[in-house]
Amino acid sequence: GTTLGASAAESGRYFGAAVSTQYLSESAYANTLGAEFNSVVAENAMKWDATEPNPGQFNFSGGDQLVNWAQARGMKVRGHTLVWHAQQPGWAQNLTGQNLRNAMLNHIAGVANHYEGDVFAWDVVNEAFEWDGSRRQSNLQRQLGNGWIEEAFRAADAADPTATLCYNDYGTDSINAKSTAIYNMVRDFKSRGVPIDCVGFQTHIAHNENLSSYQANLQRFADLGVDVEITELDVGQGSGQAATYGTVTNACMAVARCKGITVWGITDKYSWRDDNPLLFDGNYQKKQAYHTVLAAL
Ligand code: XIL
């Protein structure tokens, strides 16, 4: 294929980008997205603060805009994210006990029901572990205890039984304490029938990241019986940027259950990072990293 999306599709995979809906009116942004990618995810528009600004009052305007844009072009949509300690609305941040549980479950039901049939996968829970493999001591964790992740997945499954339900995190780019703790959680979930279908590897990395166990790590999760997805890929600028993009792409291509890759933005002009980590430069020109990825797909 001659585009990222078309090349990924040749092996049944997708190649997506995180999208800020505010830039869809910029023609170079929209044209690059539409030409090169076959999947999108909302960079912010489907997060808790955006979708439920007041308790029980949902606002799907940004997410719906992206879904409509993508569907009009035959593109897939990933859902990001139902439950995360960050970007929560103010009203949810200091809830306690059963009030917090009800708010979390109601949020999952409201959002996942709304987008049922529109998103092929959900990041049900985002970033719940620390580097050392312990649970992040978020308000969710302190108030609800270890069971909250399982509760979230069961609620997502009830709301949207067909979406691929993912646990998503960063710092899981090798076989390390954090990825092993997540691995153990997934193994436990699979053994007890907790509905988890996928693990997302954000892959926000440096140009000289050590990726010597990246593929083996993806494979050990796949061997548990879940899909794996590269969900937020970006690689800092530097001499190894293109090669590192290539290593990640090759790893996904080598793991049968690696269903696709999403880069966390289109152009360096609008990256959340300040180190030009994307495939298109600030003028929407293809970088070396783009050519390396395309060749690896
Ligand atoms: C980031 C967005 O890119 C920013 O626009 C926003 O200000 C903060 O969140 N991990 C995630 C993403 O799961 O949701 C984050 O996105 C980047 C880190």
Side-chain angles (χ1 to χ4, degrees):
T2 57
T3 68
L4 301 168
S7 293
E10 288 169 5
S11 66
R13 292 179 173 84
Y14 65 86
F15 202 98
V19 174
S20 274
T21 48
Q22 60 185 309
Y23 302 130
L24 285 173
S25 56
E26 183 179 315
S27 59
Y29 187 93
N31 290 342
T32 305
L33 177 62
E36 287 287 344
F37 298 88
N38 62 355
S39 177
V40 296
V41 65
E43 187 165 350
N44 291 295
M46 291 193 192
K47 292 172 180 176
W48 195 343
D49 59 351
T51 52
E52 197 182 0
N54 297 297
Q57 289 180 10
F58 291 90
N59 180 346
F60 298 118
S61 57
D64 286 358
Q65 183 193 349
L66 182 60
V67 167
N68 291 335
W69 197 95
Q71 288 179 348
R73 291 159 180 80
M75 298 165 76
K76 297 158 67 94
V77 183
R78 285 196 90 250
H80 175 83
T81 173
L82 294 173
V83 192
W84 188 25
H85 66 276
Q87 290 181 275
Q88 293 184 0
W91 63 266
Q93 289 173 16
N94 296 307
L95 294 176
T96 59
Q98 193 63 23
N99 290 331
L100 177 60
R101 171 175 287 108
N102 290 341
M104 177 184 83
L105 298 176
N106 191 55
H107 179 72
I108 293 169
V111 178
N113 266 319
H114 178 80
Y115 287 112
E116 184 177 9
D118 292 327
V119 301
F120 68 92
W122 267 114
D123 291 330
V124 177
V125 171
N126 197 33
E127 301 184 352
F129 283 83
E130 297 282 2
W131 286 100
D132 67 1
S134 65
R135 287 289 186 91
R136 180 190 294 273
Q137 291 301 305
S138 63
N139 191 44
L140 290 157
Q141 179 69 26
R142 284 185 278 104
Q143 290 295 322
L144 304 181
N146 279 337
W148 73 269
I149 299 181
E150 175 174 348
E151 292 184 62
F153 274 87
R154 291 192 186 279
D157 185 52
D160 186 346
T162 56
T164 298
L165 303 181
C166 305
Y167 175 82
N168 191 52
D169 216 326
Y170 65 90
T172 51
D173 312 304
S174 56
I175 296 177
N176 59 28
K178 183 171 182 173
S179 64
T180 297
I182 295 163
Y183 177 88
N184 289 336
M185 179 187 74
V186 173
R187 187 174 55 186
D188 170 57
F189 279 13
K190 294 300 283 184
S191 74
R192 292 188 298 108
V194 180
I196 187 168
D197 306 307
C198 148
V199 174
F201 298 81
Q202 292 186 9
T203 321
H204 296 293
I205 53 178
H207 79 99
N208 57 353
E209 196 84 19
N210 180 351
L211 296 179
S212 56
S213 60
Y214 191 85
Q215 183 181 323
N217 191 44
L218 297 182
Q219 187 64 57
R220 72 171 173 157
F221 279 90
D223 291 343
L224 289 176
V226 291
D227 291 339
V228 295
E229 302 185 21
I230 314 305
T231 53
E232 304 184 16
L233 177 61
D234 53 16
V235 181
Q237 66 190 350
S239 57
Q241 185 179 54
T244 296
Y245 262 108
T247 300
V248 170
T249 305
N250 282 325
C252 182
M253 296 297 285
V255 173
R257 292 198 75 145
C258 185
K259 299 295 186 177
I261 298 173
T262 300
V263 286
W264 203 244
I266 301 164
T267 163
D268 288 337
K269 186 177 180 181
Y270 298 130
S271 172
W272 74 303
R273 291 169 63 163
D274 62 10
D275 57 354
N276 299 317
L278 293 169
L279 298 177
F280 293 85
D281 72 16
N283 296 313
Y284 295 94
Q285 298 303 300
K286 295 168 180 170
K287 294 162 64 176
Q288 183 55 46
Y290 169 94
H291 297 290
T292 303
V293 168
L294 184 64
L297 287 169

